[in-house]
Amino acid sequence: GENVEQHPSTLSVQEGDSAVIKCTYSDSASNYFPWYKQELGKGPQLIIDIRSNVGEKKDQRIAVTLNKTAKHFSLHITETQPEDSAVYFCAASGWKGGSYIPTFGRGTSLIVHP
Amino acid sequence: NAGVTQTPKFRILKIGQSMTLQCTQDMNHNYMYWYRQDPGMGLKLIYYSVGAGITDKGEVPNGYNVSRSTTEDFPLRLELAAPSQTSVYFCASSYSDSGVGNIQYFGAGTRLSVL
């Protein structure tokens, strides 16, 4: 089955710095890679996603890059703000055996210091 | 749209008790999922359903049961609760077919303690 590794587990930055979170996956059949943000006491919420036919996608201060050959994808947050503090999860999924089930990384706790 | 609604938000169970965690979605999604989240361990899939009447096991199904009689509802049943089932449980739903990625929408979670 799919295996997703996510690093680092904790990331501490100063406000205004950039933050990068990296994930690797094992199954070459995976073709959809979402990133979720989980604020304290809430459920995860999608912030950005990328499909395997695209190398990079941006949405304001957030960007995701995908390297299919190396089987890794990364989340980039620029000009970090205290409200970016949360746990971030990557996931990899693909259409396999009649179902579309994602596998999640273990999460990265991002702390942005004012 | 309420999205995905989970009840209860908190619950304390004694060892050996049973309970049902409720999950309802109003987005007409075909897929529904149950996850448990333990500290530092990410989201582990318990069970999922690809449509009414169809369910399948995920990574950690032992000690749990599910049913999906309607598109909207996907309850999770805990029989003979054990301390190892102390966790935060999330229900999610998505629309999935072979042509699109499946954006998942999560409920707010149920925090369960088994003592």
Side-chain angles (χ1 to χ4, degrees):
Chain A
E2 176 66 275
N3 182 49
V4 177
E5 299 284 341
Q6 182 172 348
H7 299 280
S9 56
T10 304
L11 180 58
S12 184
V13 301
Q14 290 295 127
E15 183 177 0
D17 288 350
S18 294
V20 180
I21 303 170
K22 298 182 179 182
C23 288
T24 60
Y25 63 99
S26 60
D27 191 340
S28 57
S30 291
N31 59 5
Y32 176 66
F33 308 92
W35 286 88
Y36 291 85
K37 176 183 181 181
Q38 185 180 25
E39 296 177 340
L40 198 61
K42 298 184 178 181
Q45 185 171 12
L46 181 80
I47 54 170
I48 195 167
D49 57 10
I50 192 167
R51 304 184 198 293
S52 60
N53 59 346
V54 176
E56 183 176 3
K57 183 177 178 181
K58 287 184 179 179
D59 183 2
Q60 300 183 342
R61 296 185 297 108
I62 293 172
V64 58
T65 58
L66 171 65
N67 183 327
K68 280 194 64 181
T69 303
K71 295 194 186 71
H72 68 71
F73 56 112
S74 300
L75 177 71
H76 304 254
I77 305 174
T78 59
E79 300 173 22
T80 53
Q81 300 167 5
E83 51 265 39
D84 294 329
S85 295
V87 178
Y88 292 81
F89 291 98
C90 65
S93 56
W95 188 257
K96 307 165 203 175
S99 60
Y100 213 99
I101 304 301
T103 300
F104 284 84
R106 289 194 172 190
T108 296
S109 178
L110 174 64
I111 304 165
V112 181
H113 300 280
Chain B
N1 274 356
V4 179
T5 302
Q6 290 183 239
T7 56
K9 293 191 186 323
F10 305 95
R11 184 73 185 267
I12 297 174
L13 282 182
K14 294 182 179 179
I15 294 172
Q17 286 185 321
S18 301
M19 77 164 293
T20 299
L21 282 67
Q22 301 291 345
C23 177
T24 299
Q25 55 95 4
D26 62 359
M27 297 173 281
N28 201 33
H29 286 165
N30 51 347
Y31 277 49
M32 295 188 75
Y33 317 76
W34 274 106
Y35 294 92
R36 59 176 288 171
Q37 184 177 34
D38 300 311
M41 297 302 293
L43 294 159
K44 299 288 188 182
L45 183 65
I46 305 172
Y47 271 96
Y48 67 96
S49 168
V50 301
I54 306 170
T55 62
D56 207 347
K57 296 177 181 179
E59 186 180 357
V60 290
N62 291 345
Y64 307 95
N65 275 300
V66 293
S67 59
R68 183 107 181 261
S69 56
T70 67
T71 299
E72 295 79 18
D73 300 309
F74 190 41
L76 177 71
R77 178 81 176 164
L78 278 70
E79 305 282 2
L80 298 174
S84 60
Q85 293 177 305
T86 294
S87 189
V88 182
Y89 292 84
F90 287 100
C91 178
S93 72
S94 69
Y95 176 74
S96 298
D97 66 26
S98 60
V100 298
N102 52 340
I103 298 171
Q104 291 182 303
Y105 296 82
F106 286 82
T110 295
R111 187 175 296 274
L112 176 67
S113 294
V114 182
L115 306 174

